[in-house]
Amino acid sequence: MPNLKDLKIRIESVKSTRKITKAMQMVAAAKLRKAQETAESSRRYSEKMSDVVSNLSASMKGNEVSSTLLRGTGKDQKHLYIVATAERGLCGGFNSSIVKMAKNTFQKLLKQNKDFKIVTVGKKGREQLEREYGNFFLKHFELIDAGKTTYEIASGISEYVINRYREEGFDTLTVYFNKFQSVISQVPTDKMLIPAMVNEGEDSENVTYEYEPEEDEILAELLPKAITTYIYTALLENAASEQGARMSAMDNATRNAGEMIDKLTIQFNRSRQAAITNELIEIISGAEAL
């Protein structure tokens, strides 16, 4: 049984930990609002971009010269994946949920004898994947501060993966990330970027436009920008999800620390009372002996 000094040291240690987790919770809460607003704004822009690509795709049905970024290669043998996570931990299951989803896909591809390569964004994803799938890595991109995700970062990632897609003859390009829903809900998501995911709803069928110059010329310029936009949106969704997950995790940690302090305080008081009682017994026994 720990003595009074050990219990007192442990209580002070847990109190210090609680101060840290509380501070991290407040910082995450402050960052979350802006990250959420940015992610939601980007989501609307990404949806509009998808509508434009869908309309162009519909107008080019049957056109064999359309870009491979739009229609892909028509095969399903060689795949390129972007796994986007965070640079830091202490955010609950945020990173592991993305990695778990990606691993499930990789295991299926290995069983089917298909080839794939991985581009990681964020240190935590690389750390969790490199031991098992390190031989499949192509490149790693660092995010110095996920709260300051910029379009330039997404543009660099997009340029790299598009070049590798064309040079190495990949059939598909997919990005893994967490889509933000609320502070307590972030949904692991996979979005196929190549072939382009187009909307086949009624709106895209009924609304037609005339383009100048021709559709294939527009697509040649638009599709790389669209892929960059989708990657940027994924990174912003991740940034909001990370802050939400961290806020929730630190709130749980703060409450758990408070409960531990209460239990240790009760144990400390009981031990102190027992020590006082023993001292009184010794004093009384000594007095009676005299």
Side-chain angles (χ1 to χ4, degrees):
M1 183 176 180
N3 57 39
L4 290 176
K5 183 178 180 181
D6 292 338
L7 286 171
K8 191 172 183 179
I9 291 173
R10 191 174 179 189
I11 290 172
E12 292 301 320
S13 176
V14 177
K15 284 182 177 179
S16 298
T17 301
R18 184 173 64 174
K19 289 180 181 178
I20 294 172
T21 57
K22 184 64 176 178
M24 292 182 67
Q25 177 191 351
M26 295 174 67
V27 171
K31 290 182 177 181
L32 174 61
R33 183 176 179 181
K34 183 176 181 181
Q36 181 179 352
E37 290 175 353
T38 306
E40 290 174 350
S41 299
S42 176
R43 194 182 298 169
R44 290 192 290 269
Y45 183 81
S46 178
E47 289 170 355
K48 287 296 182 182
M49 177 71 79
S50 182
D51 289 341
V52 174
V53 172
S54 297
N55 192 276
L56 282 166
S57 174
S59 67
M60 292 189 66
K61 280 185 177 179
N63 188 342
E64 296 298 326
V65 299
S66 60
S67 172
T68 57
L69 298 184
L70 176 65
R71 57 181 171 79
T73 62
K75 302 177 183 178
D76 186 38
Q77 187 62 34
K78 196 171 183 181
H79 305 270
L80 178 58
Y81 293 96
I82 304 171
V83 181
T85 56
E87 286 290 321
R88 297 183 298 161
L90 297 177
C91 47
F94 168 78
N95 294 304
S96 58
S97 62
I98 300 171
V99 172
K100 182 180 179 180
M101 187 178 189
K103 281 185 174 181
N104 289 338
T105 300
F106 301 157
Q107 290 170 1
K108 291 178 182 177
L109 292 175
L110 289 175
K111 289 179 180 179
Q112 296 170 1
N113 294 319
K114 294 182 179 180
D115 188 21
F116 64 92
K117 294 294 180 183
I118 305 169
V119 174
T120 55
V121 181
K123 183 172 67 175
K124 290 301 175 180
R126 181 191 64 185
E127 290 176 350
Q128 295 187 41
L129 287 170
E130 63 182 351
R131 178 176 297 179
E132 190 173 354
Y133 298 100
N135 294 333
F136 298 91
F137 278 18
L138 278 182
K139 190 175 178 61
H140 171 70
F141 290 89
E142 291 186 359
L143 297 174
I144 304 302
D145 188 349
K148 294 182 180 179
T149 301
T150 64
Y151 187 81
E152 286 71 22
I153 294 174
S155 181
I157 298 171
S158 174
E159 182 179 357
Y160 175 81
V161 295
I162 289 175
N163 288 337
R164 295 309 294 262
Y165 176 87
R166 287 169 170 163
E167 291 171 3
E168 300 194 19
F170 288 103
D171 300 318
T172 67
L173 170 63
T174 305
V175 59
Y176 287 94
F177 63 99
N178 258 331
K179 186 173 183 178
F180 179 82
Q181 284 193 332
S182 67
V183 174
I184 60 173
S185 177
Q186 301 86 36
V187 182
T189 304
D190 60 325
K191 181 177 178 62
M192 183 173 288
L193 305 181
I194 304 174
M197 297 294 289
V198 298
N199 299 324
E200 299 293 343
E202 294 181 359
D203 293 340
S204 62
E205 293 177 359
N206 294 335
V207 180
T208 58
Y209 302 93
E210 291 185 3
Y211 292 96
E212 182 69 31
E214 295 300 321
E215 288 91 338
D216 55 346
E217 295 180 47
I218 297 175
L219 282 172
E221 182 71 22
L222 182 64
L223 284 173
K225 293 185 182 297
I227 292 172
T228 301
T229 299
Y230 299 148
I231 293 174
Y232 182 48
T233 300
L235 295 181
L236 292 177
E237 293 279 357
N238 255 7
S241 296
E242 179 190 354
Q243 299 305 331
R246 179 170 289 113
M247 179 180 170
S248 180
M250 291 301 101
D251 179 53
N252 290 333
T254 300
R255 281 187 281 136
N256 290 339
E259 292 175 1
M260 185 176 292
I261 290 170
D262 292 341
K263 291 179 181 179
L264 290 172
T265 301
I266 292 173
Q267 188 177 354
F268 175 83
N269 291 335
R270 287 176 177 173
S271 297
R272 183 177 63 178
Q273 187 62 46
I276 293 172
T277 302
N278 288 333
E279 290 180 4
L280 289 174
I281 292 174
E282 290 176 0
I283 292 172
I284 293 171
S285 298
E288 290 178 350
L290 293 177

